[in-house]
Amino acid sequence: MDSVIRILRAHGFPIDPDGTGFDSDQVIHTRGVNNGDIFVFPSGTLVTWSLPEDVASDLATKSLLPASINPHMDQMETETLEYEVDSKRDTSTVKGDVIILGTKPDPQKAEQSSSVDATFAKIAFSSGLARSTKLAVLETMLSKYFESTRTIPTLLSRGSRLPFDRRFILQKTGELLELRAQLNHYSELTDSLPDLFWDSRHELGLEGYYDQVGKTLDVGVRIKTLNQKMDYAQEIASILRQTLSEKHGVHLEWIIIILIAVEVAFALRKEWKEWGVRHEKSLVVKEVV
């Protein structure tokens, strides 16, 4: 995330303009054209508010790309939710697929404090969106995995041998391990509440905003389905590893058989030579006599 901050500052973006105080390892907030909010999360997700689509795309695919680790440009996912500002509401909510951002000033707070509260709400909603988008990336990766292994159940049901070489099996095993690693590394995918909200003020209701986005985008159901698919993929990987082990075992057996055959051949050759020497000696003795 330090690289993200350096790049944003180099492009003239202010960091944490509202002074939310969030750790930069949890979320980075800045603002761009049209006073649009930009939030960058450790999962590699960029969430923008009121920012032109071309500007957001340029940030994600060009400007911030050097800060990414193992970028998957061919697996980019985009999710969009509309939002409305309601100056008569003092709280925010989600209705259908629309975020209602309540910006009613609190008489007991300064105007700047109310603006910061709105930013907190945006961070909560953005975190929920980032979670859904990262989940979509994993869903796409898993779908591609199943597509590349879809013939395996059919071959097994027919009693056919799996015609896969060692490279293919190791590749599929590695892809599944990468999926598992990403799912485990980004704990916010499975945590009920990200760490960045634990220290926030309870009256802000950030947990509720985060949960509302998750319910709107069916995140809970999708995580459960993803885990079930992961278990099925694990079974496929186990079959592939078993196939590799069997092939390796057969290979070793043939090596042992060949070695034994070579040893027998050498033994027979030795016996043949010894018999030839004994036969020559017997002929010499007879001739002398």
Side-chain angles (χ1 to χ4, degrees):
M1 296 294 277
D2 291 338
S3 299
V4 174
I5 292 177
R6 286 196 297 269
I7 292 173
L8 290 174
R9 281 179 173 161
H11 285 78
F13 290 99
I15 304 300
D16 196 14
D18 292 333
T20 58
F22 279 121
D23 193 329
S24 60
D25 290 334
Q26 297 173 333
V27 61
I28 295 174
H29 174 218
T30 185
R31 282 201 176 95
V33 297
N34 298 336
N35 207 33
D37 289 286
I38 302 169
F39 301 99
V40 184
F41 293 89
S43 61
T45 309
L46 179 76
V47 181
T48 63
W49 298 65
S50 298
L51 201 70
E53 186 175 345
D54 59 331
V55 177
S57 177
D58 186 74
L59 276 172
T61 61
K62 296 179 181 178
S63 300
L64 294 178
L65 190 59
S68 62
I69 300 175
N70 297 325
H72 300 280
M73 297 301 295
D74 58 332
Q75 298 172 351
M76 286 186 59
E77 294 286 342
T78 302
E79 295 196 36
T80 304
L81 282 182
E82 296 183 358
Y83 84 97
E84 299 176 357
V85 176
D86 190 344
S87 59
K88 297 180 180 179
R89 292 180 59 96
D90 54 2
T91 59
S92 301
T93 187
V94 179
K95 291 184 178 180
D97 292 336
V98 180
I99 297 175
I100 309 298
L101 197 64
T103 59
K104 181 180 179 180
D106 189 339
Q108 299 179 354
K109 295 181 180 180
E111 182 178 350
Q112 183 179 2
S113 179
S114 298
S115 175
V116 173
D117 289 350
T119 301
F120 277 127
K122 287 182 179 180
I123 290 176
F125 288 127
S126 298
S127 181
L129 273 169
R131 181 192 192 194
S132 177
T133 306
K134 185 63 181 181
L135 185 59
V137 171
L138 296 181
E139 289 170 337
T140 300
M141 292 175 66
L142 191 58
S143 295
K144 290 182 178 179
Y145 179 89
F146 282 131
E147 180 63 25
S148 64
T149 58
R150 61 186 175 84
T151 60
I152 293 177
T154 303
L155 291 172
L156 291 175
S157 66
R158 294 175 180 173
S160 305
R161 294 184 61 183
L162 297 180
F164 303 123
D165 57 14
R166 179 183 178 85
R167 179 184 178 186
F168 176 86
I169 294 174
L170 292 177
Q171 180 184 355
K172 294 298 115 181
T173 302
E175 288 177 5
L176 184 59
L177 289 174
E178 183 182 7
L179 278 167
R180 285 284 189 187
Q182 291 204 42
L183 184 61
N184 294 331
H185 180 68
Y186 299 111
S187 60
E188 67 266 23
L189 288 174
T190 53
D191 290 348
S192 58
L193 189 67
D195 294 341
L196 75 161
F197 296 132
W198 283 108
D199 297 329
S200 63
R201 302 197 308 274
H202 177 71
E203 61 270 18
L204 292 174
L206 302 186
E207 181 178 358
Y209 299 157
Y210 177 80
D211 288 338
Q212 286 182 53
V213 173
K215 291 177 181 178
T216 300
L217 300 174
D218 297 324
V219 170
V221 176
R222 289 163 61 195
I223 288 177
K224 183 179 179 180
T225 302
L226 183 68
N227 283 323
Q228 291 173 345
K229 289 183 177 180
M230 281 283 195
D231 292 337
Y232 176 62
Q234 185 64 49
E235 292 180 10
I236 293 178
S238 298
I239 293 173
L240 290 175
R241 287 195 298 270
Q242 183 179 353
T243 301
L244 180 62
S245 178
E246 290 176 356
K247 288 184 176 181
H248 184 63
V250 171
H251 183 64
L252 289 178
E253 288 176 1
W254 274 108
I255 290 176
I256 293 173
I257 291 172
I258 292 172
L259 290 175
I260 292 174
V262 170
E263 186 176 355
V264 170
F266 275 111
L268 290 174
R269 183 171 178 270
K270 181 180 179 182
E271 288 294 329
W272 175 260
K273 285 185 175 181
E274 290 178 353
W275 180 85
V277 170
R278 289 196 301 270
H279 183 66
E280 289 178 358
K281 287 182 178 180
S282 63
L283 289 175
V284 171
V285 171
K286 288 180 180 180
E287 289 177 357
V288 171
V289 175

